[in-house]
Amino acid sequence: MTMTADRSSALYERALEVIPGGVNSPVRAFGSVGGTPRFVAEGEGARITDVDGHRYLDYVCSWGPLILGHAQPDIVAAARAALERGSSFGTPTRGEVELAEAIVERVPSVEQVRLTSSGTEAGMSAVRLARGATGRHKVVKFAGHYHGHSDALLAAAGSGVATLGIPGTPGVTEGATADTIVVPWNDREAVEEAFAEHGDDIAVLACEPVAANMGVVPPDEGYLAFLRGITARHGALLLFDEVMTGFRVARGGAQEHYGVTPDLTTFGKVVGGGFPLAAFGGSADVMRHLAPTGPVYQAGTLSGNPVAVAAGLTQLRLLDDAAYKTLDGLADRLIDGLANAFQQAGIGVHVQRCASLFNVFFADAPVRDFAGAQTADTERFAAFFRGMLARGFHLPPSQYEAIFVSLAHTTEDIDATVAAATETAAELS
Ligand SMILES: *Cc1c(COP(=O)(O)O)cnc(C)c1O
């Protein structure tokens, strides 16, 4: 099957002239899978249509936010109604209170929450708050964990024990990451060493409770409880970055799923219903350090934007326990089907998951950390991606991203995906 992508290609050529790399976020460029990104004209439910008129079953779902699918009617109606009342005021609105209450009700560790416009801002602000509240400097993070692109959190480099902040990208100075300690995920000794050496000056340990930006790498049994214990013993705060996991792996996020309570949590993606909205929160005792109550400055012209708030609130209200059960069931069916497809083809893969958050690693062994993730066969992934795209299935264009099912996907959609994957896998072997 060949598909022309004439209009997408033409737009991409134009985009390359005026937008660096033709895209507004790097992974969209198809850099690691080859070919031209599809320019999307519209989405409905589980499907997107590109500017050349091709329809795809979508497993990107805007990288997670669209847990109810594209253009979900209740969300469209809520956003439209809010927009008609005015797009932004720069003064408080009722919806912000209701969304904060909805978050606090679902996530018991969060007593107060501040809204931002992106996950990056939420992560950056949470770390500033942690430093301001503890009077300490250092941040511990894990290699391969993504907390947005603020300078101090972009240090992700280097395996090995307690690698001291090597900037991961040009433009981030050594100064900006000098207080960032990077350790391998699922490694207890490295965390113990970091605390043994710097314990008195560690403000916060940040993690994705389920790593989902290097493929999906869940915590080993007991690892989150270990992180809770060691941070508490040293008077450091524990930050769960639930931008990906929040309101996806359970109604109350990964902290509910694993039963481990952090001091600070960041949210994004699902919480915004497809609009630029994110949040960070924690106990009232920590949050009171934020301006205007306390001295730690944090702000945003469009923070708590009423249109985004209306969409996010509507989405959260539709996500009840039954919704998560359905979503997890769809993921079960897809995971079983994909695992079978690759087994039949004699291709070694490891499907790793937490609830409906999962990915397929083209790797010989289960992946426990960033070094393991880097052993994956990215060329084979790329061939699989291209085979699926040609069949009308839009997967995330990278081995190192999760695959997103939504409540708009049906069991028929899943079965069609498995059939296409079975054909594609046979071609690869
Ligand atoms: C997407 C993501 C972010 C960044 O959010 P943006 O809204 O893209 O700035 C931060 N942390 C995690 C875990 C994410 O998945």
Side-chain angles (χ1 to χ4, degrees), residues 254-300:
Q255 51 198 277
E256 178 189 313
H257 184 92
Y258 291 101
V260 176
T261 304
D263 300 298
L264 285 168
T265 304
T266 55
F267 304 97
K269 299 196 166 99
V270 171
V271 78
F275 284 80
L277 188 154
F280 66 103
S283 69
D285 193 44
V286 173
M287 295 300 282
R288 75 183 160 78
H289 291 272
L290 273 187
T293 325
V296 179
Y297 191 69
Q298 191 280 336

Side-chain angles (χ1 to χ4, degrees), residues 25 63 117-123 145-149 207-213 241-245 266-269 276-278 401 404:
S25 200
W63 303 97
S117 300
S118 71
T120 294
E121 268 180 90
H145 287 219
Y146 183 63
H147 304 298
H149 60 91
C207 70
E208 294 182 63
V210 179
N213 285 283
D241 179 343
E242 297 230 38
V243 171
M244 187 76 93
T245 53
T266 55
F267 304 97
K269 299 196 166 99
L277 188 154
E401 302 286 353
F404 295 99

Side-chain angles (χ1 to χ4, degrees), residues 1 3 38 55-59 334 338 341-342 362 380-396 403 413-428:
M1 193 184 319
M3 283 193 183
R38 299 303 188 263
R55 289 185 93 209
Y56 303 89
L57 191 60
D58 185 28
Y59 285 103
L334 182 53
L338 291 175
F342 288 111
F362 289 76
R380 198 161 230 186
F381 170 83
F384 178 65
F385 170 87
R386 290 191 297 266
M388 293 298 284
L389 189 70
R391 289 176 171 83
F393 298 84
H394 188 248
L395 297 176
I403 295 171
D413 290 335
I414 301 293
D415 293 348
T417 309
V418 170
T422 306
E423 280 178 27
T424 307
E427 275 174 17
L428 298 186

Side-chain angles (χ1 to χ4, degrees), residues 185 208 210-219 244-245 249 258 350-361 366-369 373 399-404:
W185 181 229
E208 294 182 63
V210 179
N213 285 283
M214 54 168 162
V216 174
V217 187
M244 187 76 93
T245 53
V249 301
Y258 291 101
H350 288 275
V351 184
Q352 304 199 168
R353 77 181 297 190
C354 172
S356 72
L357 189 62
F358 78 97
N359 89 315
V360 180
F361 271 114
V367 173
R368 293 183 57 245
D369 57 18
Q399 166 74 98
Y400 299 113
E401 302 286 353
I403 295 171
F404 295 99

